[in-house]
Amino acid sequence: METYLWITSVWGVYLTAIVFFGGMGWRIYEWSTTPKSAVRLGMFPKPKSGAGRFAKLLGDTFIAPQSAKIEPTMWTFAFAFHLAALGAFVGHGRLIKEFPVLPEMLGEAGMNTFAAWTGSIAGIVMLAGVLFWIARRTYGPFKNLSVPEDYLLLFLLLGVVVMGDHMRFVYGGTIHAGVYRDWFMSVLTFKPAFPSELLSSNVSVSLGTHMLFADLFLMYFPFSKLVHSIGAFSSNLVRSSE
Amino acid sequence: MDSQQLTTLTGVIDKKMNRQLKQYMDICARCAICKDACHQYVGTGDFKYLPARRAELIRQIYKKYFTKSGEFVPALYEARDPDDNLLDELYDSAYACTGCRRCMYYCPFSIDTAWILSVAKAILIAAGRGNEMLGQLADAAIFKGDNAEMFNDVMISGFEDIQEEVREITGNPNSRIPVNKEGADILYVALAGAHTIRPAAVIFEEAGENWTISMFEAANYGFFYGDTDKARLITKRYIDEAKRLGVKEIVVPECGHAYRVAEMFYEAWSKEPMPFKISHILEKVDEYIKSGRITVEKGLIEGKVTYHDPCQIGRNGGIFEQPRDIVKAVTDDFVDLIPNRQEQWCCGGGGGIVAMDEFKETRLASGSKKVEQLRASGASVLACPCENCRLQIEELNEMHGLGLQVWQVIDLVVAAMPLKGKKPVHV
């Protein structure tokens, strides 16, 4: 098991970091060095001021009100998923440093309970979102439009979420953030090691598998349609451009 | 597919590549939110008209020849060569698209499918598969530009005939259609056909405008065809004419794409700044009414009036309120279509599709949403700028027995003007 953890949760993390940041950097470089369209591609109505256009860009990108209007079910699941993913991302910040203020207010046990609740909600919402997307791609025009990339990404995402939820719901009461922090900080400081609590618990299987899916997902990220996470800002800005 | 043709077709994408196209290729999530935005997909239920599918055809080539991941694992993206099967599907997808950009409006990433399909048309043209009818119409317009003197007498004689009609309408024997007038403030570029000249001439004359008429028409089949060089040459005909005459402003007719071509595209195509102000005729008419240069009376138009936003004027041109203000100036009985303005349904007649008989069935089926809107409005008169929209809606009107009178906005204006001469009759 320790070898599996070393592959997925140490060397895999380093490789993923190189591929992910390198890939995203390359993607941004490619976009930024390709000339802009000479033709004006904006549409109306559009704000007249730069600040207005910036505000519209943020609204279009983070809320997508037009999409909400035309397909509210899809929008609801997508919005909830992205919000939950953001929550999960912020929550994973505890792997680096314990949150300020909250632990003092809630106490250690209270903080763990708070993390359990918020993490559980985020995990369930993300799972629901992924299952909705998978189901949606199994019929009609959605199925016809889908290509293997779509299913691969959903499969990897499902793996990340299910294993994350497994860690949360099965081991959440016994292994807390501090243990994972010891492992993660050791990786970040290039002195990788696994705490004995991890190695002696079956959670190591879940962690290793969660990390396996996360590694694969993030390594493929820059070469997939998921670059909409950064490209949407630029393409939505064009909508309001002169 | 031989390697030379492959190089040619992929070379088209390379030549057309810019940041926006690259991002559109890279970021589409294939979420298909666009499906319910497209009047053609909604009206026909045909998968090939789903906007994301149309774009996907170009993406399949892009992935294979412009990305490493697609080159190594083409199956992951269903990446493929631009072979005959793909080109066949591309033809239907690209030339049937009316370029309304309603899909872009609803897309969470604002992907401009119409822009992607302009690349598709360029590929089809390079493969010798461009739409013949549109190509011929574009070539005819360019030929006219190259041999303008050959058409002068016919054009001038036609303008004189229309001038007589204008005089009858205004009751003013001095009303004119000025031709080749140097130092005019405005060059009005009409469409082929007296119906876009006569009411405009009445309005310009009554407003006391210093104007002249163009010897060329504003319609641009090069744009519909998908050949930017042809489209530029067709537009250049009246740009050069405007320079020669020294006008200050070019006014285009109600036609939707003519406005967008002149205002949005020509500078990029010609790589030179536009030396004139470009106005849509409804902007001018609205100005004339609001400044009191022309007078219109309410009560002369019978029935409930509604207004259709042509996509190239509204969502893609930004002209929403001026036509409404004009219509509201001639009637108190105005009702808007729902949805309207930027959310307005495309009528299904844009993008040159009315000139392509092979898409007639698709075109008429794609008007189903417009028919629903018009029925729900309870209107008996439709104010409808844009020639293509009118042709389509008139056909839908007859097919579905809507009982609508479909008017150009400028015809409504002339009908509401207290003129001394004979009232124009709506046909």
Side-chain angles (χ1 to χ4, degrees):
Chain A
M1 182 45 56
E2 202 172 338
T3 308
Y4 180 55
L5 276 179
W6 273 89
I7 292 170
T8 62
S9 311
V10 176
W11 302 118
V13 173
Y14 293 139
L15 181 63
T16 300
I18 292 167
V19 174
F20 178 80
F21 290 111
M24 293 303 273
W26 172 249
R27 180 70 66 176
I28 292 167
Y29 172 79
E30 263 202 322
W31 284 344
S32 57
T33 53
T34 307
K36 280 202 267 188
S37 164
V39 168
R40 294 155 62 190
L41 296 175
M43 66 175 9
F44 298 87
K46 61 179 78 163
K48 289 192 172 71
S49 69
R53 281 198 288 274
F54 184 68
K56 179 163 168 53
L57 159 69
L58 295 180
D60 286 342
T61 306
F62 289 115
I63 301 173
Q66 296 88 352
S67 307
K69 202 166 180 182
I70 199 163
E71 207 183 323
T73 309
M74 167 66 175
W75 181 89
T76 304
F77 275 96
F79 189 75
F81 173 87
H82 284 89
L83 206 58
L86 178 66
F89 180 76
V90 172
H92 279 67
R94 290 181 80 206
L95 294 178
I96 297 172
K97 197 172 188 309
E98 182 56 282
F99 290 155
V101 185
L102 275 176
E104 286 90 60
M105 283 170 59
L106 303 172
E108 192 181 338
M111 185 63 207
N112 285 334
T113 308
F114 174 77
W117 272 99
T118 51
S120 300
I121 292 169
I124 290 169
V125 170
M126 287 175 73
L127 183 61
V130 175
L131 291 175
F132 171 78
W133 283 330
I134 291 172
R136 195 166 174 271
R137 289 200 183 273
T138 59
Y139 71 97
F142 310 108
K143 182 182 177 187
N144 294 337
L145 188 62
S146 301
V147 302
E149 179 196 17
D150 302 318
Y151 299 110
L152 173 65
L153 284 168
L154 286 170
F155 170 72
L156 295 177
L157 199 52
L158 185 66
V160 174
V161 174
V162 166
M163 294 319 296
D165 283 351
H166 188 253
M167 289 160 72
R168 163 61 54 204
F169 292 115
V170 178
Y171 300 102
T174 49
I175 308 283
H176 296 296
V179 176
Y180 297 116
R181 190 181 306 128
D182 289 345
W183 150 70
F184 195 69
M185 285 310 294
S186 76
V187 174
L188 280 192
T189 54
F190 299 105
K191 293 171 190 162
F194 290 98
S196 56
E197 293 97 319
L198 265 182
L199 292 175
S200 61
S201 163
N202 282 338
V203 77
S204 57
V205 181
S206 311
L207 173 66
T209 313
H210 177 67
M211 289 307 297
L212 174 67
F213 280 112
D215 291 344
L216 294 173
F217 180 77
L218 290 174
M219 279 195 280
Y220 182 44
F221 196 107
F223 311 102
S224 74
K225 63 181 187 177
L226 298 180
V227 291
H228 69 244
S229 54
I230 47 172
F233 290 93
S234 172
S235 62
N236 279 331
L237 187 60
V238 170
R239 178 196 198 107
S240 306
S241 63
E242 286 293 338
Chain B
M1 156 156 291
D2 63 58
S3 63
Q4 193 178 345
Q5 192 181 9
L6 185 63
T7 307
T8 304
L9 301 189
T10 53
V12 171
I13 298 182
D14 197 30
K15 194 176 163 200
K16 294 272 179 184
M17 188 59 73
N18 58 45
R19 188 181 305 167
Q20 280 66 46
L21 181 63
K22 204 170 191 54
Q23 290 192 324
Y24 296 154
M25 292 290 100
D26 290 334
I27 68 175
C28 176
R30 286 177 288 274
C31 67
I33 277 180
C34 51
K35 82 179 171 59
D36 294 326
C38 177
H39 60 287
Q40 252 172 24
Y41 179 75
V42 170
T44 65
D46 192 331
F47 179 60
K48 70 184 172 195
Y49 297 134
L50 198 155
R53 173 60 187 174
R54 300 186 208 234
E56 193 64 18
L57 296 172
I58 296 297
R59 191 170 293 109
Q60 288 172 339
I61 309 170
Y62 168 82
K63 283 287 182 187
K64 183 156 182 183
Y65 291 99
F66 294 86
T67 69
K68 290 290 173 207
S69 52
E71 193 182 329
F72 291 136
V73 201
L76 198 54
Y77 307 98
E78 295 183 356
R80 57 179 171 149
D81 287 333
D83 57 16
D84 285 347
N85 289 336
L86 187 144
L87 293 176
D88 283 346
E89 199 182 339
L90 201 59
Y91 180 89
D92 285 349
S93 296
Y95 280 110
C97 176
T98 56
C100 73
R101 304 210 302 168
R102 198 168 188 266
C103 51
M104 178 182 176
Y105 176 78
Y106 287 104
C107 174
F109 312 143
S110 306
I111 292 174
D112 187 348
T113 304
W115 183 244
I116 297 170
L117 292 179
S118 71
V119 178
K121 287 181 180 180
I123 289 173
L124 289 163
I125 291 167
R129 286 165 170 255
N131 180 274
E132 277 183 32
M133 173 61 79
L134 297 180
Q136 285 168 9
L137 288 166
D139 287 340
I142 294 168
F143 178 81
K144 186 182 167 190
D146 290 342
N147 300 277
E149 69 289 347
M150 193 190 287
F151 298 88
N152 266 357
D153 292 345
V154 176
M155 297 291 293
I156 290 169
S157 155
F159 292 144
E160 283 168 357
D161 291 344
I162 300 168
Q163 184 171 271
E164 286 310 309
E165 294 173 26
V166 170
R167 286 173 179 171
E168 280 180 31
I169 294 168
T170 59
N172 178 358
N174 298 318
S175 292
R176 294 187 59 221
I177 295 185
V179 180
N180 279 322
K181 183 179 173 184
E182 290 188 16
D185 290 334
I186 283 175
L187 176 70
Y188 176 60
V189 190
L191 295 179
H195 63 290
T196 66
I197 301 170
R198 189 173 43 235
V202 170
I203 292 167
F204 284 140
E205 286 295 291
E206 289 299 301
E209 190 59 82
N210 178 21
W211 72 293
T212 188
I213 188 129
S214 172
M215 301 296 279
F216 303 103
E217 66 287 339
N220 195 320
Y221 286 97
F223 174 64
F224 294 149
Y225 182 54
D227 185 324
T228 50
D229 277 339
K230 287 187 198 295
R232 178 182 60 79
L233 288 172
I234 292 168
T235 314
K236 187 173 183 292
R237 299 175 311 165
Y238 63 76
I239 300 292
D240 287 347
E241 183 185 29
K243 284 178 185 168
R244 178 172 57 79
L245 296 174
V247 302
K248 296 173 186 157
E249 185 175 356
I250 292 176
V251 176
V252 293
E254 294 197 2
C255 173
H257 78 281
Y259 176 68
R260 194 156 168 239
V261 159
E263 174 68 6
M264 312 283 174
F265 291 162
Y266 185 74
E267 275 192 351
W269 291 339
S270 65
K271 298 183 176 66
E272 61 182 34
M274 176 65 77
F276 316 101
K277 183 183 177 194
I278 302 290
S279 298
H280 188 268
I281 190 161
L282 296 184
E283 292 180 293
K284 298 302 294 180
V285 173
D286 184 46
E287 254 176 61
Y288 295 153
I289 293 173
K290 285 175 181 165
S291 64
R293 285 177 72 177
I294 62 170
T295 306
V296 287
E297 291 176 352
K298 288 181 177 169
L300 297 174
I301 310 293
E302 286 178 15
K304 186 180 281 186
V305 185
T306 190
Y307 173 74
H308 161 72
D309 296 273
C311 306
Q312 306 305 345
I313 297 172
R315 190 162 41 241
N316 300 326
I319 299 173
F320 295 116
E321 301 312 322
Q322 299 93 327
R324 284 178 171 76
D325 289 347
I326 293 170
V327 175
K328 287 174 189 170
V330 303
T331 180
D332 281 329
D333 198 2
F334 174 77
V335 61
D336 234 326
L337 294 175
I338 296 171
N340 54 60
R341 295 177 173 81
Q342 64 270 26
E343 293 180 0
Q344 184 70 263
W345 278 101
C346 173
C347 66
I353 196 170
V354 289
M356 295 180 277
D357 265 354
E358 65 215 86
F359 293 118
K360 186 174 179 183
E361 204 178 315
T362 298
R363 171 168 65 79
L364 293 174
S366 74
S368 59
K369 278 289 169 187
K370 185 54 61 187
V371 170
E372 275 177 29
Q373 278 185 293
L374 290 166
R375 276 218 175 98
S377 74
S380 58
V381 177
L382 173 68
C384 179
C386 184
E387 187 90 344
N388 285 331
C389 297
R390 265 197 318 282
L391 288 169
Q392 165 79 346
I393 293 175
E394 277 166 358
E395 218 169 325
L396 293 172
N397 188 25
E398 197 177 322
M399 188 176 160
H400 294 276
L402 299 175
L404 277 173
Q405 289 183 55
V406 185
W407 292 65
Q408 290 187 101
V409 178
I410 50 175
D411 274 333
L412 274 181
V413 170
V414 172
M417 288 170 76
L419 300 164
K420 289 179 194 147
K422 173 173 99 175
K423 277 278 157 208
V425 178
H426 179 256
V427 183

